[in-house]
Amino acid sequence: MACLCEQVAGNDIELSPTCIGNLWIFQNLDADEIEALSREALRKKSTKGQALFLQGDPTDEMFLIKGGHVKLSKVLEDGTELTLDIRKAGDFVGENMFSEEGQYPVSAYCLENTLTCGFSRSQFEQLVLQHPKVGLQIIKNLSERITWLTRRVGSLAVTNIEDRLYRVLTSVAKEHGTISPQGTVIQFPLTHEDLSFLTGAHRVSITRAMKSLKAAGKIILEDKHLILPALKTA
């Protein structure tokens, strides 16, 4: 019998082999608990540009990105929008459902057609009542995500804009890219606005830095896709 995710996704979304019950946040659970998570999960298909949730929405859902890419962004009080992260198929979104805060602190937008597999708050609370170890394990594993996010801030300490931009592109390519004969390809579009938020630099500076990186052969722009030749064998 085909996986329910495959039935919902159809042929236009490439799916990650990762299942909801095998996420890092649920590691070290018993087989029956993993089976219950996978069996009860809700599958949803979203289109490119659609919001999975918006900043300020109630934190009522968490999910695995089974297929597609999702951008996490935050709007500041002065109206500035910051791109905080880009999540790929196999990543987890909506961790804030486990906190005491009642609203999502960021928005999540699909960069392409996307399939998610997850739980509503009320549904998950029922699962935890039936399998108490699930809740305990989540508490232990969330600290690892905090450490990972802290490391991402390190690239902003680099003062040279070109170096800072290249580090961000390298990080995105290693995490989300695919290998080609030319190098590692970032398959989804990254606008100069996105890159300015990721690097903490002005868009004009990003434009100059991109030209310099292309002139130096560090990046290739082909059919609106960025390629990093140095990561050919990464």
Side-chain angles (χ1 to χ4, degrees), residues 8-9 12-15 43-50 52 63-71 87-89 93 109-117:
V8 176
D12 61 332
I13 300 178
E14 184 177 352
L15 301 180
R43 279 80 175 180
K44 292 183 180 180
K45 189 175 182 179
S46 303
T47 58
K48 179 180 178 180
Q50 186 174 342
L52 299 178
F63 41 79
L64 162 72
I65 302 171
K66 187 65 179 176
H69 286 83
V70 174
K71 178 176 73 172
R87 302 283 176 90
K88 65 183 184 303
V93 178
Y109 294 98
C110 300
L111 293 175
E112 55 194 354
N113 292 343
T114 299
L115 180 71
T116 59
C117 174

Side-chain angles (χ1 to χ4, degrees), residues 10 61 73 112 157 189:
E61 193 173 10
S73 63
E112 55 194 354

